[in-house]
Amino acid sequence: MGMEKTATATHESAGPGTENGPGDAAIHISGLTKRYNERVAVDGVDLTIHRGEVVALLGPNGAGKSTTVDMILGLTRPDSGTVTVFGRTPTEAIRASQVCAMLQEGTLLEDASVYDIVAMVAALHAHPMPVAEALRRAGVADLAKQRSTRLSGGQKQRVRFAVALVGNPDLLILDEPTAAMDVATRREFWESMRHFTDEGRTVVFATHYLEEAEEFADRVVLMRHGKIVRDGTVSQIKSAASGRILRVVVPGGDLGQLLKLPGVLDGTQRGDRFELKCSASDAPVQALLAMYPRAHDIEIKSMGLEEAFLLLTSDDAKPPTNS
Amino acid sequence: MNIAFVRLEFKRLVTNRRFWIFSLSLPVVLYLLEISAYGKGDVPGTHISYAAYLMCSFAAWGSIHATLIVGSRIAIERSSGWQRQLRLTPLRPQAYLAAKVTVGMMITLPAPILMSIVGRFNDVHLSSGDWAKLVLGTWVATLPFAVLGTLLGQMAKAETVSGYFGAALLLLGFLGGVLMPTTSFPDWLQHVSKVMPSYWLADIGRAAVTGISDLGTAIGMLAAWTVVLGVAVVFRYQRDSAR
């Protein structure tokens, strides 16, 4: 159970009228780095999340999302860099019940009812919401008397959501909150989240579901290999990856040669058919025709968000230029 | 101390059927088996019947059992991730440990009460004041074991906690002369026995039965154990938080 030594800003809490600074932000991260043996999990992340924002932390597995979340919560100590939450250290913010979280590997007590589990956590918080309200908001009011061992995976996740809600925090952090939920439950969950954020609270959620980021976040922070690759609104992220997919038949074509063409990022080959991911459309096509005049059946289409996401987070994506 | 938290922790235990089966029925069964094996006589070198002597022993053992169960749950809560969840609340780790010790003490009282009732049905006769001394004395003197349970919970993992737990229970039981009278022990083992906190816990009960006992030594030994184990808990806690 760790104490944090990451405080930089020490003033108690910045009022609404103060200038933009670490104290005014819900989360302020600077130069955050964490290594596990040789592997760099989080690599010099700088990030400021303002009050009232709903931010999706998006990225593939191993991108450093969970490690970042753990450091924001003071569960993991950074190797270097600082985290402040409402201008305080993470531990101080937790002691003041300003931040609550639903972790990925969260657990429930096996020998207590859903109501008692939530009530136990409520008893620990500085200004909890009524237990019944947390259960209702999380959609588990009908499970109140159940033991947690009898719940399905999705139900357990909603109870864990109630556990996070009952602390009545200003900032809620959710690490892959909907992983075990079915589609209907997921929709209910986000409905409840929307209600929560309508009250002006800050929410940060890590996910690898693009639709969730697209639908619920004001802002998307895209992570890869411990770094922030893109940071912006969903439409900005989409346009940042304004790539094209080029399908073409090249008799006698060689994938290795095609990948060297200007603007080609990635590609696959099936016989004479090639599918190339390109950063733009004109340059690769011109170069292709110059090299292989017999190329035919050329088809160009723009990438969807899914493909843009994969491209931005793939290993050979270009280093981040700012969006 | 967070009373609502302690109350719910307490509720978790008292609604747990396994807890009652192991911490209460096991000492009673062993007691009945042993008094039928030893018979009606007095324990050699004393003027206490086996029924009375062993009643004190198993009141102590049942109390130890209950406190260690509470402690071992700390290990399970750490492995399961529940402690991680609690770290996201204002609950301080030292308050968590204090709550565990408190619940350990709360849950200990039924064992000496039940053993007294069983003893009463096996021809142990005491004045009401002496029954109170037996029950309350044994109960208060369980404190070092509640601290020991906490230490085991800090050291063990969920997979290993039952091993630690069983070893502690048997060592305290046999070496402390709780599971069988120390009068049958060789000299050197009797000396070992008198260092064990469990010996002195049972001795507190025996003091109520005989009226003669080295109560000062018993209190001193148990207080010393509480301090030593308490220091170990604090030391361990500081090491854990330095991670």
Side-chain angles (χ1 to χ4, degrees):
Chain A
M1 301 200 163
M3 305 295 148
E4 286 307 316
K5 287 190 278 183
T6 53
T8 47
T10 48
H11 49 283
E12 275 300 294
S13 75
T18 43
E19 284 298 300
N20 272 355
D24 195 43
I27 302 173
H28 185 79
I29 295 174
S30 158
L32 196 67
T33 301
K34 182 71 187 178
R35 275 177 214 90
Y36 291 112
N37 300 321
E38 291 304 293
R39 204 175 68 82
V40 182
V42 175
D43 191 1
V45 164
D46 296 308
L47 179 67
T48 300
I49 290 171
H50 299 285
R51 291 172 192 241
E53 277 187 319
V54 179
V55 179
L57 214 51
L58 193 63
N61 287 329
K65 305 189 298 288
S66 290
T67 309
T68 304
V69 163
D70 282 357
M71 287 190 283
I72 293 171
L73 295 168
L75 293 173
T76 298
R77 190 174 296 186
D79 291 330
S80 60
T82 58
V83 179
T84 57
V85 179
F86 297 112
R88 303 171 161 190
T89 66
T91 305
E92 283 168 349
I94 281 172
R95 295 256 159 91
S97 293
Q98 284 181 298
V99 51
C100 289
M102 176 175 167
L103 297 176
Q104 215 173 342
E105 288 129 26
T107 186
L108 300 169
L109 294 170
E110 290 190 353
D111 50 6
S113 69
V114 165
Y115 187 94
D116 282 352
I117 291 169
V118 179
M120 189 183 257
V121 174
L124 302 173
H125 277 291
H127 39 76
M129 70 169 67
V131 175
E133 190 190 336
L135 294 176
R136 185 179 54 73
R137 285 194 185 205
V140 289
D142 53 328
L143 303 175
K145 287 186 179 148
Q146 294 263 355
R147 294 226 159 186
S148 68
T149 40
R150 302 211 178 133
L151 304 177
S152 71
Q155 288 174 325
K156 278 184 187 166
Q157 233 169 351
R158 281 187 286 158
V159 174
R160 296 203 289 110
F161 180 48
V163 165
L165 271 181
V166 80
N168 204 8
D170 302 321
L171 166 64
L172 191 60
I173 296 182
L174 311 153
D175 195 0
E176 311 259 346
T178 59
M181 293 180 188
D182 57 38
V183 177
T185 317
R186 195 171 289 175
R187 196 172 304 132
E188 271 174 49
F189 174 85
W190 285 111
E191 202 57 49
S192 168
M193 278 309 303
R194 201 166 278 174
H195 184 60
F196 185 78
T197 55
D198 282 348
E199 293 161 358
R201 305 194 224 210
T202 315
V203 173
V204 177
F205 65 97
T207 184
H208 47 234
Y209 292 115
L210 274 158
E211 323 78 89
E212 292 191 340
E214 187 168 15
E215 202 162 341
F216 301 101
D218 307 328
R219 179 177 164 198
V220 179
V221 173
L222 203 61
M223 285 189 78
R224 177 171 64 94
H225 294 327
K227 287 190 164 122
I228 292 178
V229 199
R230 285 289 191 290
D231 182 351
T233 63
V234 173
S235 58
Q236 279 173 326
I237 296 279
K238 267 185 176 170
S239 62
S242 61
R244 300 284 189 276
I245 292 180
L246 173 61
R247 291 208 182 93
V248 60
V249 177
V250 186
D254 172 49
L255 186 63
Q257 288 295 318
L258 290 172
L259 288 177
K260 286 185 193 145
L261 294 174
V264 175
L265 303 169
D266 198 4
T268 53
Q269 177 177 14
R270 195 175 297 153
D272 282 345
R273 290 182 171 276
F274 294 86
E275 183 173 308
L276 304 173
K277 287 180 180 155
C278 309
S279 58
S281 56
D282 296 346
V285 175
Q286 285 157 4
L288 174 75
L289 288 170
M291 190 187 278
Y292 297 102
R294 290 168 61 214
H296 57 90
D297 282 328
I298 298 170
E299 193 185 320
I300 300 169
K301 66 170 205 154
S302 60
M303 281 184 207
L305 184 60
E306 187 80 36
E307 283 147 330
F309 170 65
L310 288 173
L311 186 69
L312 283 170
T313 57
S314 70
D315 280 350
D316 37 28
K318 289 188 298 182
T321 52
N322 237 329
S323 53
Chain B
M1 184 68 63
N2 189 313
I3 291 163
F5 181 70
V6 170
R7 189 179 63 78
L8 286 161
E9 280 278 297
F10 181 72
K11 185 178 169 188
R12 276 177 68 199
L13 267 174
V14 296
T15 53
N16 189 329
R17 220 174 299 134
R18 249 176 304 172
F19 171 77
W20 293 107
I21 292 170
F22 289 109
S23 83
L24 287 182
S25 62
L26 200 58
V28 172
V29 169
L30 287 176
Y31 171 73
L32 294 175
L33 283 175
E34 287 203 20
I35 58 170
S36 70
Y38 281 112
K40 289 259 174 222
D42 285 354
V43 178
T46 71
H47 302 291
I48 321 175
S49 68
Y50 274 107
Y53 187 100
L54 291 167
M55 174 186 72
C56 302
S57 299
F58 281 103
W61 198 65
S63 308
I64 295 172
H65 202 140
T67 54
L68 293 189
I69 286 180
V70 176
S72 64
R73 292 156 75 99
I74 295 174
I76 295 165
E77 288 176 13
R78 185 178 54 247
S79 299
S80 75
W82 179 246
Q83 279 191 4
R84 212 170 138 80
Q85 189 73 52
L86 292 179
R87 282 177 65 182
L88 299 176
T89 72
L91 179 71
R92 285 164 197 256
Q94 56 269 48
Y96 169 80
L97 295 177
K100 289 289 179 193
V101 172
T102 307
V103 173
M105 289 304 291
M106 287 164 75
I107 217 71
T108 309
L109 200 50
I113 292 175
L114 182 66
M115 280 314 302
S116 299
I117 294 168
V118 175
R120 178 69 190 76
F121 280 106
N122 284 279
D123 281 336
V124 180
H125 296 281
L126 295 178
S127 70
S128 45
D130 285 343
W131 283 119
K133 269 188 215 164
L134 167 66
V135 169
L136 295 176
T138 305
W139 178 56
V140 171
T142 313
L143 181 61
F145 300 92
V147 180
L148 174 65
T150 305
L151 183 64
L152 291 184
Q154 287 175 306
M155 286 163 57
K157 292 181 181 142
E159 312 90 74
T160 57
V161 71
S162 58
Y164 277 82
F165 175 82
L169 205 54
L170 284 177
L171 285 175
L172 290 167
F174 276 109
L175 294 180
V178 172
L179 290 173
M180 57 173 67
T182 53
T183 46
S184 54
F185 284 8
D187 277 355
W188 68 271
L189 200 53
Q190 293 210 15
H191 290 302
V192 171
S193 184
K194 290 195 173 149
V195 184
M196 300 300 286
S198 43
Y199 176 88
W200 296 103
L201 178 63
D203 201 51
I204 297 262
R206 286 192 293 265
V209 174
T210 58
I212 44 158
S213 169
D214 200 353
L215 201 56
T217 312
I219 292 169
M221 284 299 285
L222 290 167
W225 271 104
T226 307
V227 170
V228 168
L229 293 167
V231 167
V233 165
V234 171
F235 180 77
R236 177 73 200 198
Y237 161 66
Q238 282 169 346
R239 229 190 65 187
D240 285 352
S241 27
R243 261 179 216 156

